[in-house]
Amino acid sequence: MTPLPSRRALLRGAPTQAPAGDRPPWMPEVITRRTAPWSPPAPPVEPPTPPPPPPSSGTTRAQALHLARRATWGATPRLVADIRAVGAQAWVDAQLDPARIPLTADERTVLAEYPRLSMSVAAVRERYGSDTGDLGTDSIHAYTARAIWSERQLFEVMADFWTNHLVVTAPWGPAWDSVHRFQEDVVRRHALGRYADLLVAAVTHPALLKQLDNTSSTRWSPNENLGRELLELHTVGVEAGYTEADVRHSTLVLTGLTTHRQTGEAAYEPDWHHTGRLTVLDWRHANTAADGSAVVRDYLLHLARHPRTARRIATKLAVRFVGDSPPAALVDRLAAAYLAADTRIAPVLRTLFASEEFAGAGGTKTKRPFENAVSTARVLGIRPGPANRRWFDEVLWLSSLAGHKPMGWPAPNGYPDVAAAWAGAGATLGVWNLHMQQGWQSTRTDDPWVTVPPFRGLLPAALPATHGEYVDALASRLLVGPLSTAKRAAVCAFLDRTPASPLRATDAAVGWRLPYVVALLLDTPEFATR
């Protein structure tokens, strides 16, 4: 595909109408692959307008939009209407019971293309024998599909949260044979359950044991990687004031946890286990049995229930859903809810979403690049097509250029979730390029990868009368809200028009320039807001 022009180039010299019988030299060639002169497609049948919410729901449009932005992978007009119809609290309660929400047809369609995800670790090793059978890409594709098309949106957001808390890199990482099972058996099984169960499942899983080098940790040669990260990142944090002696004992607790040489599954080697009294912070154990698996479980449960762990998890949840520097009072309440519920996450989330701090935090978070890519697909209504793998690869490549691809963070601390980390020119330009590239998917007539509704369908069936109303209609559809007067005028100026300029069906704004306007609106801070 011919490189797309920059916004600056468009603003400086792009014509407002395509030359008769030709195309601008910078327009992608795919636009011209037609057997007849191009004209705007007939508008599709407009979907019925969502019914107004019942007065009893008590949820305003602004409240619904705020919740949709934070608790899902991207707001859409239909989602906001659904939240208003049932009320914010009822919607959250339903989302916290994902087993009652069926898979969508699009989810089923795409996940059926990845049957290898059901394979056991042993089966992967038996079939492939080496990392040529890496299932990381399959896992990341499924991750992307679920984020876009699942209606279990809060569950999928929490799966992302835990994936960045208990990091296993993919593809081509040390857990090439087991990362897919880590996602299914650890992250997704326990995403809304008890953190204590999630922690035990993670630390005893072959993927994390390989990721953090515990497979070769023995009483004779202990490897401190997992023992240290367990304290620093997964539980109490450095604020707990643990010492190097605590790290050493944390490591010794975990000696014996390894993987089977042939099958790659988790295993325990009693001969490798250190015996003798162990002390980590306020935890003590005689540790006299040769098989220390019970000691491991006791240690992990203690750490999961530790007040410092409660505060660490509460802080990370508040950063994800409320603000980059969340109020201490909110963190205190979330930590108390965590301990009162014996590490269950659903009660903590209920407390968070019902808080005044959450209600007052609108417009204070920024989407990371992959989140922006997913929310772009959601708001454009992209659906599976004949070449989903190719499309996923393109989206993930563009996301990685912006610095954010699922399971791609090389360090064990996970991707940062504060605006400052994503404010650089590289991340911004990467996201803008993604918007333009995905916009041109709608023009693929020669080799469509996925199903993209015609962009004309983003406008009302009856065209707005003016360019200003045209921008308002697109903003309502894409941003689920209005643009400021100044930005509205700027978009019209991009089209060499004023807000009062009449809009005709033959205007460039409705034709070849429409994908550019769509991308321009997706480039705004309003769309970048989580």
Side-chain angles (χ1 to χ4, degrees):
M1 180 177 285
T2 304
L4 299 172
S6 67
R7 298 288 190 279
R8 183 173 296 176
L10 287 171
L11 288 169
R12 285 182 174 176
T16 59
Q17 298 272 0
D22 202 353
R23 63 181 175 89
W26 40 262
M27 184 179 289
E29 183 181 357
V30 68
I31 299 300
T32 66
R33 291 177 183 169
R34 302 178 186 273
T35 57
W38 182 83
S39 59
V45 176
E46 190 173 19
T49 303
S56 60
S57 77
T59 298
T60 68
R61 185 180 172 284
Q63 290 169 334
L65 177 58
H66 175 45
L67 181 58
R69 283 173 166 172
R70 295 293 170 88
T72 80
W73 280 92
T76 67
R78 173 63 63 179
L79 175 60
V80 170
D82 288 346
I83 293 173
R84 292 196 70 192
V86 300
Q89 182 176 338
W91 184 86
V92 169
D93 287 342
Q95 288 287 308
L96 290 175
D97 191 9
R100 293 181 177 271
I101 303 174
L103 297 182
T104 65
D106 289 340
E107 271 184 287
R108 293 183 184 278
T109 296
V110 175
L111 294 179
E113 298 180 18
Y114 299 91
R116 297 196 307 169
L117 293 177
S118 64
M119 294 174 67
S120 68
V121 178
V124 171
R125 293 177 70 89
E126 182 179 3
R127 176 178 296 186
Y128 299 105
S130 70
D131 62 4
T132 56
D134 190 303
L135 266 62
T137 297
D138 287 23
S139 290
I140 295 169
H141 283 192
Y143 197 96
T144 306
R146 286 161 163 159
I148 296 171
W149 293 303
S150 178
E151 291 184 355
R152 303 172 179 181
Q153 279 289 297
L154 181 54
F155 176 84
E156 297 302 336
V157 167
M158 287 305 299
D160 179 73
F161 177 87
W162 294 122
T163 297
N164 280 291
H165 181 68
L166 297 156
V167 174
V168 176
T169 56
W172 315 118
W176 63 270
D177 56 357
S178 50
V179 62
H180 65 299
R181 296 314 317 168
F182 188 82
Q183 278 292 308
E184 298 299 322
D185 300 336
V186 178
V187 172
R188 300 184 65 79
R189 180 172 296 177
H190 301 290
L192 291 173
R194 292 199 321 162
Y195 182 62
D197 298 329
L198 174 60
L199 185 66
V200 171
V203 173
T204 59
H205 194 277
L208 198 65
L209 293 174
K210 294 169 186 176
Q211 179 77 26
L212 293 177
D213 305 311
N214 211 77
T215 55
S216 59
S217 184
T218 70
R219 59 191 174 98
W220 309 285
S221 181
N223 186 306
E224 292 187 353
N225 203 5
L226 179 55
R228 183 181 297 276
E229 305 302 1
L230 176 62
L231 293 172
E232 180 178 341
L233 299 176
H234 303 155
T235 59
V236 294
V238 294
E239 298 81 5
Y242 57 80
T243 65
E244 285 300 312
D246 290 320
V247 171
R248 175 76 175 180
H249 280 215
S250 178
T251 299
L252 293 176
V253 173
L254 305 177
T255 54
L257 281 175
T258 186
T259 56
H260 193 278
R261 185 173 299 177
Q262 278 74 44
T263 67
E265 301 281 7
Y268 196 86
E269 290 285 352
D271 289 345
W272 293 10
H273 175 60
H274 167 87
T275 56
R277 186 166 187 81
L278 293 171
T279 302
V280 181
L281 295 172
D282 56 344
W283 178 80
R284 309 274 190 280
H285 203 287
N287 185 38
T288 56
D291 185 341
S293 54
V295 180
V296 171
R297 179 175 176 80
D298 184 78
Y299 176 54
L300 295 176
L301 292 178
H302 177 85
L303 287 179
R305 292 167 172 149
H306 197 285
R308 282 289 179 180
T309 301
R311 187 163 189 83
R312 179 165 181 76
I313 299 298
T315 299
K316 293 190 73 170
L317 287 170
V319 168
R320 172 60 182 80
F321 292 106
V322 177
D324 292 357
S325 299
L330 173 64
V331 173
D332 290 342
R333 296 201 306 279
L334 298 182
Y338 173 95
L339 293 173
D342 191 23
T343 81
R344 289 179 176 83
I345 297 302
V348 181
L349 292 175
R350 283 194 178 91
T351 300
L352 186 154
F353 290 124
S355 69
E356 292 183 0
E357 291 89 344
F358 174 78
T364 60
K365 291 292 295 183
T366 299
K367 296 173 185 173
R368 294 173 289 187
F370 177 69
E371 294 176 50
N372 203 303
V374 169
S375 57
T376 296
R378 284 172 56 78
V379 81
L380 292 180
I382 292 176
R383 298 188 61 197
N388 298 310
R389 288 175 180 266
R390 291 174 64 185
W391 183 72
F392 287 143
D393 285 339
E394 179 184 58
V395 170
L396 292 164
W397 175 69
L398 291 167
S399 296
S400 67
L401 290 180
H404 188 215
K405 177 182 177 182
M407 306 179 212
W409 188 253
N413 60 342
Y415 283 106
D417 194 12
V418 293
W422 307 103
T428 301
L429 184 59
V431 168
W432 287 1
N433 286 338
L434 186 147
H435 292 156
M436 184 64 81
Q437 192 78 355
Q438 292 310 301
W440 287 113
Q441 283 287 341
S442 68
T443 70
R444 283 186 184 272
T445 58
D446 56 338
D447 184 21
W449 294 350
V450 288
T451 303
V452 187
F455 278 11
R456 175 62 180 83
L458 298 172
L459 291 166
L463 276 182
T466 66
H467 277 71
E469 293 171 3
Y470 158 91
V471 174
D472 290 340
L474 284 177
S476 178
R477 178 65 180 77
L478 298 172
L479 311 179
V480 202
L483 277 177
S484 67
T485 301
K487 290 179 181 176
R488 179 176 182 255
V491 176
C492 291
F494 168 74
L495 294 166
D496 294 327
R497 298 290 189 273
T498 69
S501 299
L503 181 70
R504 302 176 181 86
T506 56
D507 282 340
V510 188
W512 61 268
R513 297 196 78 174
L514 180 54
Y516 289 102
V517 179
V518 169
L520 191 61
L521 289 173
L522 296 178
D523 291 345
T524 60
E526 285 79 359
F527 188 74
T529 297
R530 183 202 287 166

